Amino acid sequence: MALQQIYRTSLSLLTDLYQLTMAYGYWKNGMAEREAVFHLYFRKNPFGGGYTIAAGLEHAIQYLQELRFTADDIAYLASLKGSEGKPLFKQGFLDYLQQMEFTCDVDAIPEGTVVFPSEPLVRVKGPLLQAQLIETPLLTIVNFETLIATKAARIKEAAKGDTVIEFGMRRAQGIDGSLSAARAAYIGGADATSNLLAGQLYNIPVKGTHAHSWIQSFDSEEEAFEAYGTAFPQDSVFLVDTYDTLEGVKKAIKVAQKLAPKGFIFGGIRLDSGDLTYLSQQARKLLDAAGFTDTSIVASNDLDEHLITHLKQEGAKINIWGVGTKMITAYDQPALGGVYKLAAIKNDAWEYKIKLSEQLVKTSNPGILQVRRFYNEQRYLADMIYNELEPLPPQPQLVDPLDATRRKSLEPTAKYKDLLVPIFKKGQLKYKLPDLPSIKAHTLQEVSNLHESIRRYLNPHSYPAGLESGLHQFKMDLILKLREAEK
Amino acid sequence: MALQQIYRTSLSLLTDLYQLTMAYGYWKNGMAEREAVFHLYFRKNPFGGGYTIAAGLEHAIQYLQELRFTADDIAYLASLKGSEGKPLFKQGFLDYLQQMEFTCDVDAIPEGTVVFPSEPLVRVKGPLLQAQLIETPLLTIVNFETLIATKAARIKEAAKGDTVIEFGMRRAQGIDGSLSAARAAYIGGADATSNLLAGQLYNIPVKGTHAHSWIQSFDSEEEAFEAYGTAFPQDSVFLVDTYDTLEGVKKAIKVAQKLAPKGFIFGGIRLDSGDLTYLSQQARKLLDAAGFTDTSIVASNDLDEHLITHLKQEGAKINIWGVGTKMITAYDQPALGGVYKLAAIKNDAWEYKIKLSEQLVKTSNPGILQVRRFYNEQRYLADMIYNELEPLPPQPQLVDPLDATRRKSLEPTAKYKDLLVPIFKKGQLKYKLPDLPSIKAHTLQEVSNLHESIRRYLNPHSYPAGLESGLHQFKMDLILKLREAEK
């Protein structure tokens, strides 16, 4: 479902003021229509991991499709004053904005694809003013959804085939923080969400039973279980830790036995506090002893990939994982540091551009870039970032963008595919948006194409993703030339 | 501006599925209209701090004002199937929902007020079904906005009177993550935002100049500065680190000198990478030597309260702080763990309710609670959480909710005020929403009422906020009674 079905407001002002002041500057200098290329990429896999799951493209497309300045937007911009009290923008510029239509080419890596540092997830080519303007919302959307999809993939990996339910809405960063994260978590690996609106908007399966307050509302825990089990004879998971967990389990069993003749199916119990290993083991024994061997044990309470792994190693008898805060906010790294950098501008011919910065890791890559992925029957082998406009050598070599001494030659027999696919041509959508289950299936397939050592979520092996050596050399030459010019 | 001016969709489904399954259970058991009391509170000040700034009430009110189930919402709920493939909800329940109107009493602590663990920020009293249903969205809104307002207050404190600009939109957790956080950051202490849509929606001052791409779009840095300075002669801050920071400063000065005769005012330079202390000191020297003593030095690059303090201690010459990722996501603690707990339910008389849990810190407080704040001319002295329906002793005593051996007697001469004020009566709004500048001013006043040792953001002194001793005793008795009953 489209962004515009959630948001009523025009989203054209959903950007930083400096995009508009630069737009004004470009317009004033006659540079607004000059063709430029920008790349959106990140510099480091999140969570200390070995891979990242691309996400957010669908929302980015929906934002771009509706990009136009309404009369209200223009009126707001006209109301902005500079420090001398004069209008910040001239009327001619505002007229230009109001008539502007989005005419860029956009290429991007589809959602659910595994991606690596320095690889452009989105490439925008078009009039400088437009391509610049969309920087901030593209980053907001792609950074966040990519972050959450990646977190969910790690958590699903840790759960080793168990069901994972996303139920972090109450701790999400705002309303949309809960909605777009529920979608991204589903892409990455969550099997369901507790968030009803996300369920409705994105057609994600929804799950949930009852809270402590349900238990408290009745005179006794047994009465509460019985009322719930009667209301949902096929879909009851009893939350057992309102007063005392193991006593709660015993009462849940008693109620299940009482309701069984009426067709009640004892779906599960949920643990939400205390020592989850010990409590789940004891609960499993009690359930099994009563013959409820198919009854699930659901656990929640600050779970993430590390705690799930730890609980499994300790022998916890949990088979459904309810993951809240740590997934919906990507708690241990709540932002992906994706950036959006100018890489080429066309005067008569294309001029390649670079940003140096004081820190090497912040130096951008010049060119009109594409990502080529090499693979064999078993798995993905390496990714090569290269300039589409330059000829490739017959046997290309990769150079690590952060350590030029690390190089890798590519097997000449390896198969390959290019990851960036056309999304918009001159502002017209050319891409058929896949449905959410297809994206989810794609993620699963993608992750399985990575060697185990790269999927490991602590100290993973680093996947070979680098610059084509000609591009690397060109970049080095450009840096030296610029440093020389600064002197 | 109202939530509904941002969001198009009905927000009634913006909740967890389990709120609806419980609602169904209450309806089925004839308990839907039973009167109940819930409190929304948190258990620990975020960021290891000594205080918290309440925020989010305005959005919570807007959500509650529009709470009704549309035909689309009902159709979605009707489409949900249980595990046997039968509809999850009966038609009679859906009819009930569709006709439901919000009729609760809501009391809350106004935005911008300093608050402490265990204090109800929102108290909801009304039909059990309704009061339960709104749990999740109230938590989402209040948790997030309170978190960000608190982070901003800490950052503003560290900046010691310098200007703080929020410009984290590109790293925000989703679209609304950027919008509601920009508002909360403004409440907490940020002086402006880069987020244009937040500027338009909430009437927050917007700030921003240009990015690295502006510089890269020109053949030389000087040309880029000159073009920008000509476009914004009174509002230019030059970003100087695209190629080499100090060379950039020299060029910025040259351009400023060249443009000065045309009325150019050299507003500032911005540093975005490298050693901010050293670079700002050198830049200050260069600027001062050229006579630009009023030109500001703006810094950005992963700033938060700790780094700002450190830079100031080191003697960095920075006077405007651009704060992004770390504030907009509350990076070091990206969620406030606020909860919403049932505290009383009316059968014939009020019955007080408690949730025990395996962990003492997760045990809730029973009653119909209010927070009384004691103060003198200089500052706030202590907060007492008490049950509104029980008589207070003439000399009340406070008990620390997490350590009953810590008690405090209150000065009988201290003045006091009750913090929770009426918001809705029987679903009718009774509260005049303050405008944003008033809320911001209130925050500033509130923080200044705290002793310095509590405002300290590392290892602060703990503000005395506790349970009135009669309430504490009642809670202890209730716990023992419940533990006894579990045996």
Side-chain angles (χ1 to χ4, degrees):
Chain A
M1 185 165 278
L3 268 193
Q4 282 71 25
Q5 288 171 278
I6 307 174
Y7 288 99
R8 159 183 286 165
T9 292
S10 154
L11 294 178
S12 306
L13 292 182
L14 184 74
T15 196
D16 288 315
L17 173 62
Y18 85 172
Q19 311 294 3
L20 272 295
T21 53
M22 285 191 278
Y24 176 70
Y26 289 134
W27 173 81
K28 196 165 182 300
N29 280 275
M31 293 164 71
E33 312 277 339
R34 197 167 296 177
E35 210 176 355
V37 174
F38 286 82
H39 299 119
L40 187 159
Y41 62 97
F42 60 89
R43 295 169 177 139
K44 211 167 164 248
N45 290 311
F47 318 117
Y51 66 91
T52 298
I53 305 292
L57 182 57
E58 183 169 317
H59 287 149
I61 288 173
Q62 291 165 350
Y63 155 74
L64 291 172
Q65 278 188 291
E66 299 295 327
L67 183 63
R68 59 188 60 86
F69 287 87
T70 64
D72 275 359
D73 297 336
I74 297 293
Y76 173 70
L77 293 174
S79 78
L80 294 177
K81 301 276 188 286
S83 51
E84 300 285 284
K86 281 180 272 184
L88 200 58
F89 301 118
K90 292 228 185 335
Q91 190 57 44
F93 170 68
L94 298 176
D95 294 343
Y96 177 89
L97 280 187
Q98 194 154 14
Q99 285 153 28
M100 194 187 83
E101 283 182 23
F102 182 65
T103 58
C104 293
D105 292 349
V106 178
D107 294 81
I109 299 182
E111 292 188 285
T113 307
V114 294
V115 289
F116 300 94
S118 296
E119 298 181 354
L121 307 192
V122 183
R123 184 181 79 195
V124 179
K125 183 165 156 241
L128 179 56
L129 184 151
Q130 292 179 32
Q132 178 68 66
L133 188 69
I134 63 181
E135 172 184 26
T136 320
L138 286 187
L139 284 171
T140 306
I141 293 168
V142 173
N143 270 335
F144 180 50
E145 299 188 30
T146 297
L147 182 78
I148 301 300
T150 307
K151 188 68 179 173
R154 291 163 61 81
I155 288 170
K156 184 68 184 174
E157 182 102 18
K160 296 189 184 300
D162 293 348
T163 297
V164 172
I165 303 172
E166 180 286 295
F167 52 54
M169 180 185 163
R170 64 192 57 203
R171 304 285 161 76
Q173 295 211 343
I175 292 171
D176 171 59
S178 82
L179 295 171
S180 56
R183 178 180 177 277
Y186 185 67
I187 287 177
D191 298 284
T193 180
S194 69
N195 187 327
L196 268 180
L197 189 54
Q200 184 196 33
L201 292 171
Y202 305 122
N203 199 22
I204 303 174
V206 288
K207 291 277 178 211
T209 57
H210 70 80
H212 296 111
S213 52
W214 173 269
I215 304 293
Q216 295 170 271
S217 301
F218 289 82
D219 287 335
S220 77
E221 208 172 6
E222 274 170 270
E223 209 182 307
F225 289 151
E226 186 169 340
Y228 199 84
T230 305
F232 297 100
Q234 267 87 44
D235 296 279
S236 280
V237 173
F238 295 145
L239 178 60
V240 292
D241 74 333
T242 305
Y243 304 116
D244 176 293
T245 303
L246 294 177
E247 292 301 322
V249 175
K250 289 177 199 161
K251 287 175 186 159
I253 289 171
K254 232 163 101 182
V255 169
Q257 287 166 330
K258 181 172 170 192
L259 295 179
K262 300 181 195 165
F264 177 78
I265 296 166
F266 191 4
I269 58 157
R270 178 157 77 97
L271 311 173
D272 188 42
S273 57
D275 179 337
L276 295 179
T277 301
Y278 171 77
L279 293 171
S280 67
Q281 288 169 339
Q282 297 304 312
R284 186 75 268 161
K285 280 185 200 159
L286 291 168
L287 289 166
D288 289 351
F292 292 116
T293 51
D294 289 342
T295 298
S296 291
I297 299 181
V298 187
S300 48
N301 197 14
D302 281 342
L303 298 174
D304 66 4
E305 65 273 40
H306 304 292
L307 190 50
I308 291 172
T309 301
H310 182 70
L311 287 166
K312 280 188 168 280
Q313 283 168 349
E314 276 193 321
K317 300 290 183 193
I318 294 163
N319 59 334
I320 299 181
W321 305 86
V323 185
T325 315
K326 298 282 172 82
M327 182 154 72
I328 204 88
T329 65
Y331 200 86
D332 56 337
Q333 187 192 319
L336 181 71
V339 295
Y340 183 85
K341 293 292 170 192
L342 180 71
I345 195 161
K346 203 172 192 172
N347 287 311
D348 297 325
W350 282 108
E351 286 174 22
Y352 300 127
K353 295 289 181 176
I354 200 167
K355 181 210 150 215
L356 293 183
S357 155
E358 298 286 321
Q359 295 151 274
L360 178 62
V361 65
K362 282 191 156 189
T363 299
S364 63
N365 293 315
I368 297 168
L369 304 180
Q370 174 58 281
V371 182
R372 182 158 291 183
R373 176 158 294 167
F374 295 86
Y375 60 98
N376 64 22
E377 305 306 320
Q378 284 78 47
R379 67 176 66 97
Y380 291 158
L381 301 171
D383 288 5
M384 177 178 77
I385 302 166
Y386 69 100
N387 186 340
E388 260 188 9
L389 297 190
E390 301 293 328
L392 282 178
Q395 291 212 11
Q397 212 189 21
L398 289 187
V399 183
D400 185 323
L402 294 184
D403 177 0
T405 65
R406 289 168 59 98
R407 295 176 181 232
K408 186 183 172 78
S409 291
L410 296 161
E411 294 172 33
T413 61
K415 285 180 281 188
Y416 63 80
K417 59 186 171 191
D418 283 346
L419 299 187
L420 287 149
V421 301
I423 309 293
F424 288 94
K425 284 280 176 204
K426 303 270 168 239
Q428 297 301 307
L429 186 65
K430 297 295 175 193
Y431 180 69
K432 194 177 163 332
L433 286 164
D435 62 18
L436 203 58
S438 310
I439 300 173
K440 189 180 176 61
H442 178 54
T443 307
L444 213 62
Q445 181 60 52
E446 284 282 297
V447 174
S448 75
N449 287 338
L450 295 178
H451 190 274
E452 242 176 46
S453 62
I454 290 156
R455 293 162 64 174
R456 199 192 294 146
Y457 50 73
L458 271 177
N459 302 319
H461 199 78
S462 146
Y463 178 84
L467 303 184
E468 183 272 317
S469 55
L471 173 62
H472 167 76
Q473 197 50 54
F474 177 78
K475 176 181 174 178
M476 291 303 117
D477 293 346
L478 195 56
I479 293 176
L480 293 173
K481 209 175 97 191
L482 281 166
R483 292 229 192 276
E484 197 56 41
E486 279 292 298
K487 278 177 192 159
Chain B
M1 187 165 277
L3 267 193
Q4 282 71 25
Q5 288 171 278
I6 307 174
Y7 289 99
R8 160 181 287 162
T9 293
S10 154
L11 294 178
S12 306
L13 292 182
L14 185 74
T15 195
D16 289 316
L17 173 62
Y18 84 172
Q19 311 294 3
L20 272 297
T21 53
M22 285 191 278
Y24 176 70
Y26 290 135
W27 172 82
K28 197 166 181 301
N29 280 276
M31 292 164 72
E33 312 277 339
R34 197 167 298 177
E35 208 174 358
V37 173
F38 286 82
H39 298 120
L40 188 159
Y41 63 98
F42 60 89
R43 295 168 178 140
K44 213 169 160 244
N45 289 311
F47 319 116
Y51 65 93
T52 297
I53 304 291
L57 182 58
E58 183 168 318
H59 287 150
I61 289 172
Q62 291 165 349
Y63 154 75
L64 291 172
Q65 277 188 294
E66 299 294 327
L67 182 63
R68 59 188 61 87
F69 287 87
T70 65
D72 276 0
D73 298 336
I74 297 295
Y76 174 70
L77 292 174
S79 78
L80 295 177
K81 301 277 188 285
S83 51
E84 302 283 285
K86 279 180 274 183
L88 199 57
F89 301 118
K90 293 229 185 336
Q91 190 55 46
F93 170 67
L94 298 176
D95 293 344
Y96 178 89
L97 280 187
Q98 196 155 12
Q99 284 153 27
M100 192 188 84
E101 282 181 25
F102 181 66
T103 58
C104 293
D105 292 349
V106 178
D107 294 80
I109 299 181
E111 292 189 285
T113 307
V114 294
V115 289
F116 301 93
S118 298
E119 297 181 354
L121 306 192
V122 183
R123 184 181 79 195
V124 178
K125 183 164 156 240
L128 179 56
L129 185 152
Q130 293 180 33
Q132 178 68 65
L133 188 69
I134 62 180
E135 172 184 25
T136 321
L138 286 187
L139 283 171
T140 306
I141 293 168
V142 173
N143 270 334
F144 180 50
E145 299 187 31
T146 297
L147 182 77
I148 302 300
T150 307
K151 188 69 178 171
R154 292 163 60 84
I155 288 171
K156 184 67 183 174
E157 182 103 17
K160 295 189 186 297
D162 293 348
T163 298
V164 172
I165 303 173
E166 181 286 296
F167 54 51
M169 180 185 162
R170 63 192 56 202
R171 303 286 161 76
Q173 296 211 342
I175 292 171
D176 172 59
S178 81
L179 295 171
S180 56
R183 178 180 178 277
Y186 185 68
I187 286 178
D191 298 285
T193 180
S194 68
N195 188 327
L196 267 180
L197 189 53
Q200 184 197 31
L201 292 171
Y202 304 121
N203 200 22
I204 303 174
V206 287
K207 290 278 177 209
T209 56
H210 69 81
H212 296 110
S213 53
W214 173 268
I215 305 293
Q216 294 170 271
S217 301
F218 290 81
D219 289 333
S220 76
E221 208 172 6
E222 274 169 88
E223 211 181 305
F225 289 151
E226 187 169 339
Y228 199 85
T230 306
F232 297 99
Q234 266 87 46
D235 295 279
S236 282
V237 174
F238 296 144
L239 179 60
V240 292
D241 74 333
T242 305
Y243 305 115
D244 177 291
T245 303
L246 294 178
E247 291 303 322
V249 175
K250 289 177 199 161
K251 287 175 187 160
I253 289 171
K254 232 163 100 181
V255 169
Q257 286 166 333
K258 182 173 168 190
L259 295 179
K262 299 182 198 164
F264 175 79
I265 296 165
F266 192 4
I269 58 158
R270 177 157 77 97
L271 311 173
D272 187 43
S273 58
D275 180 335
L276 296 178
T277 301
Y278 171 77
L279 293 171
S280 66
Q281 288 169 338
Q282 297 303 313
R284 186 75 267 161
K285 279 184 202 161
L286 291 168
L287 289 166
D288 288 352
F292 293 115
T293 50
D294 288 342
T295 299
S296 291
I297 299 182
V298 186
S300 48
N301 197 15
D302 281 341
L303 298 174
D304 67 3
E305 66 272 40
H306 305 291
L307 190 50
I308 291 173
T309 301
H310 181 70
L311 288 166
K312 280 187 168 279
Q313 281 167 348
E314 276 193 321
K317 298 290 184 193
I318 295 163
N319 58 333
I320 299 181
W321 306 86
V323 185
T325 314
K326 299 282 172 81
M327 182 155 72
I328 203 87
T329 66
Y331 200 87
D332 57 336
Q333 188 193 317
L336 181 71
V339 294
Y340 184 85
K341 293 293 172 193
L342 180 70
I345 194 161
K346 203 171 190 173
N347 288 309
D348 296 323
W350 282 108
E351 286 174 23
Y352 299 127
K353 295 288 180 176
I354 199 166
K355 180 208 150 216
L356 292 183
S357 154
E358 299 287 321
Q359 295 151 274
L360 178 63
V361 64
K362 283 190 156 191
T363 300
S364 63
N365 292 316
I368 296 169
L369 305 180
Q370 173 60 280
V371 182
R372 182 159 291 183
R373 176 159 293 165
F374 295 85
Y375 59 99
N376 64 21
E377 304 305 321
Q378 284 78 47
R379 67 177 67 97
Y380 292 158
L381 301 172
D383 288 5
M384 176 179 77
I385 303 167
Y386 69 100
N387 186 340
E388 261 188 10
L389 297 191
E390 302 294 326
L392 282 178
Q395 291 214 10
Q397 211 189 21
L398 289 186
V399 183
D400 185 325
L402 294 183
D403 178 359
T405 64
R406 288 168 59 98
R407 295 177 180 229
K408 188 183 169 75
S409 291
L410 295 160
E411 293 171 35
T413 61
K415 285 179 282 187
Y416 63 80
K417 57 187 171 189
D418 283 346
L419 298 187
L420 287 149
V421 300
I423 308 294
F424 288 93
K425 283 281 176 202
K426 305 269 167 237
Q428 297 302 307
L429 186 65
K430 296 295 174 194
Y431 180 68
K432 193 174 165 333
L433 286 163
D435 62 19
L436 203 56
S438 310
I439 299 172
K440 189 180 176 61
H442 178 53
T443 306
L444 212 65
Q445 181 60 51
E446 284 282 297
V447 174
S448 75
N449 287 338
L450 296 177
H451 189 272
E452 241 175 47
S453 63
I454 290 156
R455 294 162 64 172
R456 198 193 296 146
Y457 50 75
L458 272 177
N459 302 320
H461 198 78
S462 148
Y463 179 83
L467 303 184
E468 182 272 319
S469 55
L471 173 62
H472 167 76
Q473 196 49 54
F474 178 78
K475 176 181 174 179
M476 291 302 117
D477 293 346
L478 195 56
I479 293 175
L480 292 173
K481 207 174 98 190
L482 282 166
R483 292 228 192 278
E484 197 55 42
E486 279 293 297
K487 278 181 192 156

